Amino acid sequence: MDAAHCYLEGNADAVEFCPHEPYANLLAASTYTLQEGDCPSRSGSVYLFDVGDVEDVGLNLIQKIDTAGVFDIRWSRGGDGGGNVALAQADADGCLRVYKIDETEVKGCSLKEVAGEKISSSMCLCLDWNPSSTSIVVGLSDGSASVVSFTDSNLETVQEWKGHDFELWTASFDLNNPNLVYTGSDDCKFSCWDIRDSPADNRVFQNSKVHTMGVCCISPNPSDPYCLFTGSYDETLRVWDTRSVSRPVNETSVSLGGGVWRIKHHPSLTGVVLAACMHNGFAIAKVSDGKGEVMESYNKHESLAYGADWYRGKDQKRSVVATCSFYDRLLRLWMPKTDLST
């Protein structure tokens, strides 16, 4: 069921619900727009919306921040209260920026930039926070990865290594062991690194045989310490046991009919994931007992499906989803029609 929609002023590529109370009503969205010509430029914006109550959701624009073209945004994992809730941005200028919630505004809360650092001459394509939200891993367009510490509103690069041959589209911390980082790239390789000392010399594993096209997304399962999901341009959702990475848990590989750019785990239903499938809209899939199936497809966007996330507030009686698509600049809120708990 559609609840609300709006059009952004740039090409929409990411949406993220704030996972922290009392800010679960906050939705961030980002854009990336390439201006071609003799002097090409990459511009973007970060939007902050209030979606209201889950029983009466909408899209009330709180703030729009103009910046460089944004490839990825992520809310911090840890922290209670506005002073510790942060939103990180990876952008086309090679910068990592961090915003925190500012409650001094008369009209309510807004985002205030507290840190910004140019970490590379390459573009920053993706990012992820470690479980304690004290470090951020960033994937770069030259195939490198950087781990950047975030303490007292200061950003400092502590590790950087060339892990891949082409664009590094996805990087993710292990949710249970923050010394491990997973990366995926346009070179079709899916890798894991130990970042305690010289990651380039401490590769835990690398699988280059299973994904037949670039790896777009790596999403650890928050309810299983040894399980993670990958998405690829080869249109397949794969489920892996990190104790045996020569091949995925084959029975649960699901064809989604489009490049799997984003995978988001449902906040309360184990095995239920939301996927952004590029040319084939959005899908909700369920993986259990060695089998995977598509529960629902959503095709009300007219362009590349890139951004997707679940509302994460407490006491929700129904699931709420935010999705966005690129060239049509469309942001939507909707509720799945399917009973996802069955």
Side-chain angles (χ1 to χ4, degrees):
M1 181 178 72
D2 292 316
H5 73 275
C6 71
Y7 291 93
L8 306 183
E9 293 180 19
N11 299 333
D13 59 5
V15 289
E16 295 280 319
F17 276 108
C18 184
H20 306 289
E21 298 288 356
Y23 305 108
N25 60 307
L26 296 181
L27 174 70
S30 65
T31 66
Y32 167 92
T33 303
L34 172 63
Q35 302 287 342
E36 299 187 80
D38 294 336
C39 298
S41 64
R42 296 173 171 87
S43 61
S45 300
V46 173
Y47 292 76
L48 187 67
F49 293 92
D50 181 352
V51 301
D53 183 81
V54 70
E55 296 300 317
D56 184 26
V57 297
L59 286 167
N60 175 42
L61 179 62
I62 299 173
Q63 185 182 13
K64 174 176 175 278
I65 302 169
D66 292 327
T67 181
V70 181
F71 282 103
D72 200 9
I73 50 173
R74 296 290 171 100
W75 292 100
S76 56
R77 297 187 189 276
D80 297 311
N84 294 313
V85 177
L87 181 75
Q89 160 193 321
D91 70 38
D93 283 355
C95 292
L96 176 64
R97 300 186 186 279
V98 178
Y99 307 91
K100 285 194 173 181
I101 291 177
D102 182 1
E103 292 185 304
T104 62
E105 294 285 331
V106 176
K107 297 180 181 179
C109 60
S110 63
L111 294 174
K112 179 181 180 181
E113 184 175 331
V114 296
E117 193 72 32
K118 186 174 178 67
I119 63 170
S120 176
S121 58
S122 299
M123 295 185 288
C124 296
L125 301 180
C126 61
L127 65 90
D128 189 40
W129 293 85
N130 70 345
S132 60
S133 294
T134 53
S135 292
I136 301 169
V137 61
V138 183
L140 303 172
S141 59
D142 68 352
S144 299
S146 291
V147 175
V148 182
S149 66
F150 178 64
T151 53
D152 300 324
S153 296
N154 290 315
L155 293 168
E156 181 181 357
T157 300
V158 293
Q159 296 280 11
E160 182 171 355
W161 70 102
K162 184 77 184 297
H164 293 272
D165 300 323
F166 302 112
E167 289 90 342
L168 203 157
W169 291 122
T170 180
S172 180
F173 278 98
D174 188 282
L175 297 180
N176 298 280
N177 183 351
N179 295 316
L180 298 181
V181 164
Y182 303 101
T183 58
S185 165
D186 233 24
D187 61 11
C188 307
K189 296 175 182 176
F190 160 47
S191 306
C192 179
W193 315 84
D194 188 326
I195 62 170
R196 281 173 288 192
D197 182 37
S198 185
D201 300 323
N202 286 283
R203 191 173 68 198
V204 179
F205 69 75
Q206 184 173 83
N207 186 299
S208 58
K209 297 179 180 179
V210 170
H211 299 93
T212 60
M213 299 179 74
V215 182
C216 310
C217 180
I218 298 171
S219 184
N221 185 344
S223 61
D224 184 339
Y226 300 110
C227 176
L228 56 79
F229 290 45
T230 61
S232 168
Y233 287 124
D234 65 15
E235 305 183 355
T236 302
L237 171 71
R238 293 179 175 87
V239 182
W240 300 78
D241 185 326
T242 56
R243 294 166 295 187
S244 177
V245 293
S246 60
R247 58 189 178 90
V249 183
N250 282 338
E251 294 83 359
T252 54
S253 296
V254 184
S255 177
L256 295 180
V260 185
W261 185 256
R262 280 283 182 272
I263 301 167
K264 295 294 183 68
H265 293 269
H266 193 282
S268 60
L269 299 175
T270 300
V272 176
V273 296
L274 170 67
C277 306
M278 297 183 71
H279 291 285
N280 199 37
F282 298 87
I284 297 172
K286 186 173 185 178
V287 175
S288 63
D289 300 325
K291 297 181 180 179
E293 62 176 338
V294 176
M295 303 179 74
E296 183 170 332
S297 297
Y298 185 80
N299 293 297
K300 295 190 177 180
H301 290 259
E302 301 296 327
S303 180
L304 288 169
Y306 274 152
D309 201 14
W310 302 97
Y311 171 81
R312 300 176 187 278
K314 296 178 180 178
D315 304 321
Q316 65 179 93
K317 298 174 183 176
R318 66 176 80 175
S319 296
V320 178
V321 171
T323 50
C324 72
S325 44
F326 197 64
Y327 293 112
D328 60 358
R329 305 182 172 188
L330 180 58
L331 170 64
R332 285 188 177 273
L333 291 180
W334 51 279
M335 291 87 159
K337 299 176 182 177
T338 310
D339 182 358
L340 303 179
S341 62
T342 57

